[in-house]
Amino acid sequence: FGSRRSRDPSADSARSQTAMTGMKRSTRAMLLIGAMGALYSQAFLSSSGRRTVISGGLLGALGLSESAKAADFLGIPSIPGPFEMKPQDAVVIGDANDAKIKEARKKVEDLQKQAEDALDKLEKDPQADLSYMITDFGIGELRLATNAINDIMDDKTAAATQRWQRLMIQAKYQWELDVPFPTTKRGEQRPRGDKRNDRIKVSLKRYIDGSKELLQFF
């Protein structure tokens, strides 16, 4: 009879640990995919969910993506997106003291103050009239002001400021949809519901957060 080769316990242990690590990674990946799928499914099952996906992006609103939250929960390292940058890393190549840029900054600050005041009013009175915030060229004015800020940045920094610009515009668009009081078929005005007010608050907070981030770049 030939002699049998003895098994190396240390080698078996290493192979077992490698297999377990692979299984854990696969499990985390599957859980993350499942979490993202559930979020999209929930969004499309309700009209409010569809509204969120279309106007603001379910997973992209102000960088607080549900996928990132799921990754943190599952212990998966968070990787910055291609358009994300810390304000302290910004490279300004234009003249931030130019009159046009100062005017643009003041416009962004004024719109942020307006949003902060509106949020405060809504907290105190859920039926506060915020229709004054909706103007014919409101989003256009915001876009022009933030475009001026984008123009004084280098390409990489501009990609980051443009991200905040887009998210601010999305938030403003969302609250402009919800701020008006609902009306009946006869044109009779009705109070805003709790869910409608909650959407307004979320949009205002997202806008304010985005504005604060943008203003830190210069």
Side-chain angles (χ1 to χ4, degrees):
F1 296 98
S3 61
R4 290 189 177 181
R5 295 179 59 184
S6 60
R7 296 175 64 89
D8 185 351
S10 62
D12 290 344
S13 177
R15 284 193 293 270
S16 177
Q17 290 179 358
T18 300
M20 288 298 293
T21 300
M23 290 176 63
K24 288 180 179 179
R25 289 177 179 173
S26 299
T27 301
R28 287 181 177 180
M30 292 302 295
L31 286 172
L32 177 57
I33 293 171
M36 293 173 66
L39 287 168
Y40 273 110
S41 298
Q42 184 178 3
F44 282 98
L45 284 173
S46 64
S47 59
S48 61
R50 289 193 296 272
R51 180 199 297 263
T52 303
V53 172
I54 293 170
S55 65
L58 181 64
L59 302 180
L62 282 184
L64 300 178
S65 68
E66 294 299 332
S67 58
K69 291 179 181 179
D72 291 339
F73 177 76
L74 296 171
I76 301 174
S78 177
I79 302 174
F83 306 122
E84 294 183 35
M85 173 188 284
K86 295 179 180 179
Q88 58 266 33
D89 296 331
V91 177
V92 180
I93 59 175
D95 184 5
N97 292 317
D98 184 85
K100 178 182 177 182
I101 303 305
K102 288 184 176 180
E103 182 180 351
R105 183 183 181 92
K106 186 177 185 306
K107 184 64 177 179
V108 174
E109 289 174 339
D110 289 345
L111 291 174
Q112 178 183 315
K113 181 65 166 56
Q114 183 187 64
E116 290 170 339
D117 290 344
L119 182 60
D120 183 61
K121 289 180 180 179
L122 198 59
E123 294 286 1
K124 294 177 180 178
D125 178 11
Q127 300 306 320
D129 185 0
L130 304 177
S131 58
Y132 64 89
M133 299 180 68
I134 304 175
T135 60
D136 291 339
F137 305 103
I139 290 180
E141 291 175 351
L142 172 61
R143 190 185 300 277
L144 287 174
T146 48
N147 275 343
I149 295 172
N150 296 334
D151 289 343
I152 65 171
M153 307 295 175
D154 75 342
D155 289 344
K156 186 175 181 180
T157 308
T161 57
Q162 286 166 0
R163 171 175 173 266
W164 290 114
Q165 176 192 44
R166 290 191 297 272
L167 293 170
M168 289 167 65
I169 290 173
Q170 289 171 357
K172 184 173 176 59
Y173 175 79
Q174 181 66 57
W175 90 55
E176 288 191 358
L177 286 177
D178 290 321
V179 157
F181 290 98
T183 56
T184 65
K185 293 181 179 180
R186 297 181 179 179
E188 299 173 349
Q189 184 173 290
R190 291 288 185 264
R192 288 189 300 260
D194 291 340
K195 290 185 178 179
R196 195 183 189 100
N197 278 336
D198 287 343
R199 289 198 301 268
I200 297 173
K201 290 178 183 178
V202 168
S203 298
L204 287 171
K205 289 176 182 177
R206 287 175 174 170
Y207 179 89
I208 294 166
D209 289 344
S211 179
K212 288 179 178 178
E213 286 289 335
L214 178 66
L215 292 173
Q216 291 183 55
F217 278 78
F218 71 109

